[in-house]
Amino acid sequence: MKIPLMRKAFLKEEETKKALADFILNADRLSMDIECKKFENKFAQYQKCKHAVLFNSGGSANLAMLQALKNLGKLKDGDKVAFSALTWSTNTMPIIQLGMVPVALDCEPDTLNTMSYHLIERLKTTDLQALFITNILGFTGDIDVIKQICNEKNIILIEDNCESLGTELPDGVTGNFGVGGSFSFFVAHHMSTIEGGMVCTSDDDFAEMLRIVRANGWDRNLDTEQQQKWRSKFGIESEFQAKYTFYDLGYNFRPTEITGFLGQYQMQFLEENISKREQNYLRIENVLKDNPDFIHLKHDHINRLSTFAFPFVCKTPELRKHYLENFTKAGVEIRPMIAGNMQEQPFYKKYVTELYEMPGADMMHANGFYCGNYPELLEEDLLIIENLLKNR
């Protein structure tokens, strides 16, 4: 493969691996501890939010957000939770797994994202208790307007921001518009800890419950005041008894100190990473503007575009077939436009009976694809991609 989806596991890989090896050789402890906390503090500061809670994956972070909302009594069995139809499985599966009803919202092909008018249209026929929105491949819709609608309608808004770390609108960075936003540090994302995820929030109760959910339902990762509150509520009179007391539903979603160390180390390169991705995308976009085979993506409402990949939306399935063949022959690794219309996935049809018309997501399903965008792309790589995109 001449141009893989991601060339390295880490930005500055040799330097990072050497630092990681030294850390492992000298660390007294590798299970979750102080390095994870340091990463949480550093990431919260970067994201300009009050709390960051580290998980073993972005998928775990998504499930934990919904479980925490149920534990807090904000959501319950049977509640209708809307989601972006163009998304990833771990954005949708937790809704089903936790006994709630998923309700798909369409996307707009020229922004890739669910827009406020999709939400307004669904609300004409369906009462929603929550919206789990996905910011797609570094792009986002009019999420500022969506937030206003959710506030007015008392709809809980949470974000899957796993593909859009660093994207910024006039009203702030993505991941901060809802009560919580998830991030992924899996290989090929904006920064890598091999596996890893985060939830950012400025809601104290939500952050506290996320820490309970992350660690089996116990209180070990809460501060002293929070621990005392839970222990008093349930009559736990000793530290000995508290060690194995479980207050609410949870999982083992704990990260390791390796995750915490790598996260801190990779953050020093994050600004460079985001800037290079934006620069690469704008360069490729200049070629796309001259090719009528593609829909031109809108991002004039976005101040900073932190692209996860190079997304392409062809005007017809036949055109996509043509470009897929050319990219494959040239040795460029490609992927579908995430999971396409999630309603078409086998698991969704098995567990969900009410399906909706999704013309935008169907178009992305049939006409979209992407290839990797990352700082290690060489000039010759970018020239290959440019030449593949030039009008036939």
Side-chain angles (χ1 to χ4, degrees):
M1 192 66 66
K2 291 181 183 176
I3 308 177
L5 204 64
M6 189 69 180
R7 188 156 275 138
K8 305 279 188 180
F10 311 105
L11 191 57
K12 317 280 189 188
E13 180 157 292
E14 185 176 354
E15 175 186 336
T16 300
K17 284 184 173 180
K18 286 180 179 178
L20 176 60
D22 185 63
F23 168 73
I24 291 173
L25 287 170
N26 291 283
D28 293 326
R29 175 172 172 165
L30 292 175
S31 58
M32 186 177 72
D33 198 45
I34 188 64
E35 298 301 324
C36 292
K37 187 62 179 175
K38 288 178 183 176
F39 180 30
E40 289 177 334
N41 291 338
K42 195 167 188 176
F43 197 82
Q45 184 177 9
Y46 179 86
Q47 186 66 15
K48 297 183 175 64
C49 65
K50 194 170 180 182
H51 305 281
V53 183
L54 185 60
F55 290 87
N56 59 3
S57 75
S60 296
N62 283 345
L63 177 53
M65 284 200 293
L66 285 169
Q67 184 69 66
L69 289 169
K70 283 196 75 177
N71 288 0
L72 290 167
K74 306 288 187 181
L75 292 174
K76 63 183 183 306
D77 288 354
D79 278 352
K80 291 185 176 180
V81 179
F83 69 95
S84 309
L86 181 67
T87 188
W88 190 246
S89 62
T90 59
N91 174 275
T92 310
M93 287 182 176
I95 302 171
I96 300 169
Q97 289 163 327
L98 294 179
M100 294 175 282
V101 180
V103 178
L105 297 183
D106 205 5
C107 68
E108 183 58 53
D110 65 6
T111 67
L112 304 181
N113 277 271
T114 293
M115 306 295 289
S116 59
Y117 49 83
H118 295 121
L119 175 58
I120 291 169
E121 189 64 27
R122 182 68 69 241
L123 286 171
K124 290 178 182 178
T125 58
T126 308
D127 289 330
L128 299 173
Q129 283 70 53
L131 167 57
F132 197 174
I133 201 164
T134 304
N135 300 313
I136 305 293
L137 296 176
F139 292 74
T140 190
D142 55 346
I143 194 167
D144 51 341
V145 181
I146 289 170
K147 178 181 179 178
Q148 285 182 327
I149 295 168
C150 288
N151 288 342
E152 291 167 3
K153 302 289 186 180
N154 200 29
I155 297 169
I156 298 168
L157 176 64
I158 53 177
E159 293 173 79
D160 182 328
N161 202 52
C162 292
E163 298 174 351
S164 298
L165 169 59
T167 290
E168 186 170 356
L169 285 77
D171 284 357
V173 292
T174 54
N176 282 2
F177 284 85
V179 67
S182 62
F183 298 80
S184 174
F185 309 126
F186 179 64
V187 174
H189 285 247
H190 289 78
M191 54 179 279
S192 166
T193 62
I194 309 172
E195 290 278 6
M198 192 81 80
V199 174
C200 285
T201 182
S202 292
D203 185 300
D204 294 341
D205 292 337
F206 189 50
E208 180 180 337
M209 185 55 72
L210 284 167
R211 293 189 174 98
I212 290 174
V213 169
R214 176 179 63 182
N216 307 301
W218 61 31
D219 68 8
R220 291 192 196 183
N221 305 123
L222 303 183
D223 63 34
T224 303
E225 184 179 342
Q226 291 169 335
Q227 287 177 337
Q228 188 56 46
K229 178 185 73 175
W230 285 96
R231 294 174 189 182
S232 295
K233 181 178 179 180
F234 290 96
I236 308 303
E237 297 178 353
S238 68
E239 183 69 27
F240 177 78
Q241 187 181 4
K243 290 294 185 186
Y244 283 177
T245 298
F246 305 95
Y247 298 100
D248 214 323
L249 298 180
Y251 310 87
N252 180 6
F253 286 159
R254 290 172 295 180
T256 68
E257 288 289 84
I258 292 171
T259 307
F261 172 82
L262 284 171
Q264 294 173 75
Y265 198 87
Q266 284 290 294
M267 281 198 72
Q268 67 183 303
F269 312 127
L270 184 54
E271 282 298 301
E272 174 189 348
N273 191 327
I274 292 170
S275 295
K276 186 62 176 175
R277 286 169 182 263
E278 183 176 41
Q279 179 184 329
N280 286 347
Y281 177 79
L282 295 176
R283 172 176 171 171
I284 296 301
E285 183 182 59
N286 281 330
V287 177
L288 281 176
K289 287 177 180 176
D290 296 326
N291 190 336
D293 291 348
F294 294 92
I295 290 175
H296 302 143
L297 302 182
K298 295 178 182 177
H299 54 84
D300 55 356
H301 60 298
I302 297 174
N303 288 354
R304 190 183 199 193
L305 186 64
S306 181
T307 59
F308 176 86
F310 295 126
F312 307 117
V313 185
C314 300
K315 289 184 176 176
T316 68
E318 292 74 24
L319 284 170
R320 183 178 79 158
K321 182 179 179 183
H322 165 78
Y323 285 100
L324 293 185
E325 289 174 353
N326 286 355
F327 271 68
T328 301
K329 286 177 184 176
V332 181
E333 191 171 6
I334 49 179
R335 291 287 188 274
M337 192 64 81
I338 322 184
N341 181 355
M342 189 58 66
Q343 294 184 133
E344 297 300 317
Q345 292 289 336
F347 84 90
Y348 198 88
K349 291 181 176 180
K350 179 179 179 181
Y351 292 104
V352 183
T353 56
E354 188 167 7
L355 306 180
Y356 299 87
E357 293 293 320
M358 294 285 136
D362 285 340
M363 182 181 184
M364 306 298 277
H365 199 104
N367 298 10
F369 71 100
Y370 71 80
C371 67
N373 175 18
Y374 42 89
E376 297 95 339
L377 285 173
L378 307 172
E379 175 66 20
E380 62 194 68
D381 298 329
L382 292 166
L383 287 172
I384 288 171
I385 295 171
E386 285 177 332
N387 287 330
L388 288 167
L389 295 168
K390 286 179 178 175
N391 194 16
R392 295 172 294 158

